[in-house]
Amino acid sequence: MATPTVKFTKLFINGEFVDSVSGKTFETVDPRTEEVIAEIAEATKEDVDIAVKAAREAFDCGPWPRMPGAERAKIMLKWAQLIEQNVEEIAALDTIDGGKLFSWCKAVDVPEACNILRYYAGAADKIHGNVFKTSRDLHLYSLMEPVGVVGHIIPWNFPTVMFFAKVAPALAAGCTMVIKPAEQTPLSALFYAHLAKLGGIPDGVLNVVPGFGSTAGAAISSHMDIDAVSFTGSTETGRKIMQAAALSNLKPVSLELGGKSPVLIFDDADIDKAVDLALFGILHNKGEICVAFSRVFVQEGIYDEFEKRVVEKAKTWVVGDPFDPKVQQGPQTSKAQFDKILSYIDHGKSEGATLLTGGKPVGNKGYYIEPTIFTNVKKEMLIEQEEIFGPVMTLSKFKTIDDAIKKANSSKYGLAAGIVTKNLDIANTVSRSIRAGIIWINCFFAFDIDCPFGGYKMSGFGRDYGLEALHKYLQVKSVATPI
Ligand code: NAD
């Protein structure tokens, strides 16, 4: 696949590609080469204001919230079709922008965007309220109405899936929106805006404002005329967004935040399968996954053998150009992320953990890092507590089921957890005892759009996916009339 041409580099507001008010631009960089791919118009507060005005006008006076759900669905389905016709090009954009494996983007992420659109298109004409039987002489019923103008703030690790996980249910609900992709990966979002227009989404309904968190992002979360914010990103930023929402118009927020997910591998596990699962769990998407199995706990009976085999296999992991189909791990998304991961690795070494393999950059160009495994890790160490968001596993032993549960829960996060065992009793007991939003038994990264996804504890609240996500973008109005 040849490097794609970048066609869309301006803000998308009110159905048009426009320059930013300030004329400012920012660079987006190819993490394989460290070269600039494109200069992107940079949205600041003024641009967000213009985008919100367009979205408000489209919400208050435009056809989108008023049209029958089936009509909205038709347009969403058309958009999905157009995306399908451009799968290769969009997948390549996410690869050059974020270092993601091209084969994965093409086979999974972009098709998933279409699936998400189709799922919520199917729900758009099934939104209804209730009629209440009362003891009074009243006709009393409720309506489900779109929440209004929504702000979506998106991270860089899954630019496509995160975009649609937020945009599709909001569209189905009849909302209009302002979307801020991450500054590291704005390219596919702008392409999607172009296809949305071709698909028939009316002007002003969907606005895309690439820019930085502290300016464009903050302008969205503190905006007095945005009715709700849906955010995916770090816990630290989630806190700022919630604060900004509280200090402005008290808009509801939903926060999909960070994780430090454990996987518990029991003595009865097939060791080779468990090794594959643990490595996929931490190295998929170069560890830049909120649900990554970054803490691996292995029961003492198989620990030594597991450690030997996981290290051997990690050493064979293929790191390189994400367009190469043989490659298993591409570059980290940005220089900042690359530096952050290496600094965590230094911390691990200086805190006294044992480095079993990896720990260094790969090559001298691009943001590549070796698959890295630490053992002799203590609970208090930074590498055991903080989300590294890179290809860094910590490996520890446990004795009993209770010990495993205690270790799994010993984190401020609660996004995901894994259990590897053939014993159903263990799987059921442990899955009920771990405080996390999703539990994977003998698997990793298994999702379905119909199944809600989100965190416990400091991994946030609110759910993407499923009908629960649709309800984030709806509000209930009760209507009473005497009879
Ligand atoms: P981040 O919080 O730095 O940025 C996420 C988005 O927020 C970006 O668009 C950024 O520009 C914006 N932002 C930054 N500061 C802001 C501010 N003050 N106000 C408003 N917006 C602001 O996170 P990241 O580094 O892009 O993404 C990695 C994080 O995302 C990890 O912690 C990861 O676990 C998390 N994540 C969570 C999920 C989930 O579903 N729970 C999924 C993917 C990623």
Side-chain angles (χ1 to χ4, degrees):
M1 172 82 204
T3 304
T5 320
V6 177
K7 297 179 194 146
F8 305 104
T9 57
K10 295 188 177 188
L11 315 178
F12 185 77
I13 298 180
N14 209 13
E16 311 257 348
F17 281 98
V18 295
D19 287 316
S20 58
V21 171
S22 65
K24 278 191 191 171
T25 59
F26 66 97
E27 294 175 344
T28 184
V29 170
D30 184 337
R32 300 171 305 154
T33 59
E34 305 180 36
E35 281 162 15
V36 175
I37 307 167
E39 295 279 339
I40 308 290
E42 180 191 333
T44 56
K45 184 179 176 312
E46 290 69 34
D47 304 291
V48 170
D49 284 344
I50 296 169
V52 173
K53 218 167 149 201
R56 172 57 58 197
E57 179 75 14
F59 187 77
D60 288 348
C61 313
W64 191 255
R66 284 156 201 88
M67 68 174 64
E71 290 297 311
R72 284 201 295 275
K74 241 191 249 171
I75 295 172
M76 291 170 72
L77 294 174
K78 174 78 185 156
W79 191 17
Q81 204 180 31
L82 291 169
I83 293 167
E84 233 158 33
Q85 289 163 7
N86 290 275
V87 170
E88 288 238 341
E89 188 165 1
I90 299 169
L93 286 178
D94 276 351
T95 298
I96 58 168
D97 223 7
K100 295 169 73 74
L101 293 185
F102 174 67
S103 56
W104 181 274
C105 293
K106 189 177 150 189
V108 182
D109 282 9
V110 185
E112 183 74 347
C114 304
N115 294 340
I116 298 172
L117 272 173
R118 290 182 176 128
Y119 174 85
Y120 288 107
D125 61 354
K126 297 169 193 72
I127 296 168
H128 45 70
N130 280 311
V131 178
F132 302 99
K133 193 171 171 220
T134 74
S135 53
R136 299 166 188 204
D137 292 337
L138 276 181
H139 175 41
L140 191 56
Y141 63 97
S142 65
L143 298 170
M144 297 302 282
E145 296 193 334
V147 80
V149 176
V150 180
H152 299 300
I153 303 177
I154 295 172
W156 42 261
N157 59 338
F158 281 87
T160 284
V161 174
M162 292 293 141
F163 183 97
F164 285 95
K166 302 206 175 298
V167 166
L171 283 176
C175 293
T176 62
M177 60 208 68
V178 176
I179 305 151
K180 196 199 85 58
E183 53 272 36
Q184 298 84 349
T185 54
L187 298 180
S188 57
L190 293 166
F191 200 97
Y192 289 130
H194 161 69
L195 296 178
K197 169 124 181 159
L198 291 183
I201 294 198
D203 293 352
V205 170
L206 185 146
N207 304 277
V208 179
V209 289
F212 293 93
S214 56
T215 50
I220 290 174
S221 48
S222 62
H223 208 288
M224 290 300 287
D225 210 19
I226 288 186
D227 299 302
V229 165
S230 179
F231 169 72
T232 297
S234 63
T235 297
E236 196 189 329
T237 305
R239 197 193 293 277
K240 287 185 192 157
I241 286 174
M242 199 167 165
Q243 220 162 14
L247 293 175
S248 53
N249 60 347
L250 286 173
K251 59 179 78 60
V253 296
S254 81
L255 304 177
E256 302 286 339
L257 308 177
K260 189 76 182 169
S261 301
V263 55
L264 307 173
I265 300 170
F266 286 84
D267 274 346
D268 68 341
D270 175 311
I271 299 184
D272 284 325
K273 283 191 187 157
V275 162
D276 286 345
L277 187 65
L279 286 175
F280 179 50
I282 186 63
L283 301 180
H284 178 52
N285 208 48
K286 6 61 188 239
E288 292 170 355
I289 304 197
C290 51
V291 291
F293 285 161
S294 46
R295 295 183 295 141
V296 177
F297 298 100
V298 182
Q299 202 162 13
E300 54 188 2
I302 58 166
Y303 179 88
D304 290 341
E305 190 56 29
F306 181 92
E307 181 186 294
K308 186 170 130 275
R309 293 195 214 174
V310 80
V311 170
E312 273 167 14
K313 190 113 193 211
K315 285 182 175 160
T316 67
W317 209 254
V318 187
V319 181
D321 189 322
F323 280 103
D324 180 341
K326 292 188 296 303
V327 161
Q328 293 169 288
Q329 185 186 316
Q332 307 308 136
T333 297
S334 65
K335 172 86 166 72
Q337 188 59 21
F338 173 80
D339 289 343
K340 183 176 144 192
I341 296 165
L342 291 175
S343 108
Y344 273 117
I345 292 172
D346 284 345
H347 257 289
K349 290 194 260 184
S350 62
E351 282 178 312
T354 306
L355 182 65
L356 292 172
T357 184
K360 294 191 300 302
V362 177
N364 47 21
K365 197 175 66 168
Y367 309 134
Y368 297 94
I369 296 182
E370 290 175 332
T372 299
I373 304 179
F374 279 105
T375 190
N376 292 325
V377 182
K378 296 208 173 64
K379 194 179 106 186
E380 316 67 51
M381 288 181 180
L382 221 54
I383 56 165
E384 190 67 353
Q385 285 302 325
E386 292 196 3
E387 183 182 42
I388 298 174
F389 223 51
V392 183
M393 172 196 293
T394 64
L395 185 57
S396 312
K397 229 178 256 186
F398 69 88
K399 290 191 169 122
T400 60
I401 296 182
D402 285 349
D403 185 27
I405 294 169
K406 200 165 150 209
K407 287 183 161 134
N409 281 331
S410 166
S411 165
K412 64 185 176 195
Y413 295 112
L415 193 53
I419 302 166
V420 184
T421 179
K422 297 185 188 107
N423 183 321
L424 258 186
D425 281 346
I426 294 181
N428 285 327
T429 309
V430 176
S431 48
R432 281 172 174 72
S433 311
I434 296 181
R435 296 192 63 215
I438 187 161
I439 309 287
W440 282 304
I441 300 168
N442 298 322
C443 61
F444 171 69
F445 218 55
F447 289 106
D448 188 274
I449 302 159
D450 199 26
C451 180
F453 169 74
Y456 279 32
K457 303 198 275 185
M458 286 178 77
S459 292
F461 53 83
R463 294 290 179 266
D464 278 336
Y465 280 19
L467 294 180
E468 297 211 13
L470 181 68
H471 284 271
K472 281 202 301 202
Y473 303 107
L474 291 167
Q475 59 190 342
V476 189
K477 176 183 281 175
S478 299
V479 183
T481 176
I483 47 175

